[in-house]
Amino acid sequence: LEKLKNTPLVFKATTEVDVWISFDFDNNSNYYNQRLKTLILWLDNTQATNILLNDENISNVSIKNTPFFIKKVSSNIDNIIMKIKEQ
């Protein structure tokens, strides 16, 4: 009993924590943004939309090209701008 008085109490515990993942779409150098842009390079708008919608973090996609008659995503990653649209 005397030995137990000087022994620190040690125990293990497990807990569940809700975790939220946040992506900064305004930061064009963000790894996640760069990965998404790389996936859609030079695809037509429909293919690019489908690929982006397959990402669990994206619920809606609108692709706008300049000039308007171009129907493919740019082949230059620096020309792709991603924006978050409030609903």
Side-chain angles (χ1 to χ4, degrees), residues 5-76:
K5 285 184 182 179
N6 296 328
T7 306
L9 178 62
V10 177
F11 64 92
K12 262 187 170 179
T14 303
T15 185
E16 287 186 28
V17 179
D18 288 334
V19 176
W20 294 87
I21 298 174
S22 176
F23 298 104
D24 183 5
F25 284 99
D26 293 329
N27 180 356
N28 283 321
S29 64
N30 177 300
Y31 169 77
Y32 185 69
N33 289 354
Q34 294 298 318
R35 186 178 67 80
L36 289 175
K37 289 178 183 183
T38 301
L39 287 173
I40 63 171
L41 285 173
W42 203 240
L43 293 177
D44 68 54
N45 290 353
T46 304
Q47 289 175 309
T49 298
N50 290 336
I51 285 175
L52 292 173
L53 287 174
N54 279 331
D55 188 293
E56 65 184 19
N57 299 304
I58 298 174
S59 62
N60 193 3
V61 174
S62 174
I63 297 178
K64 295 180 182 173
N65 300 28
T66 304
F68 70 90
F69 56 84
I70 294 177
K71 301 299 180 200
K72 287 192 171 196
V73 176
S74 175
S75 61
N76 182 347

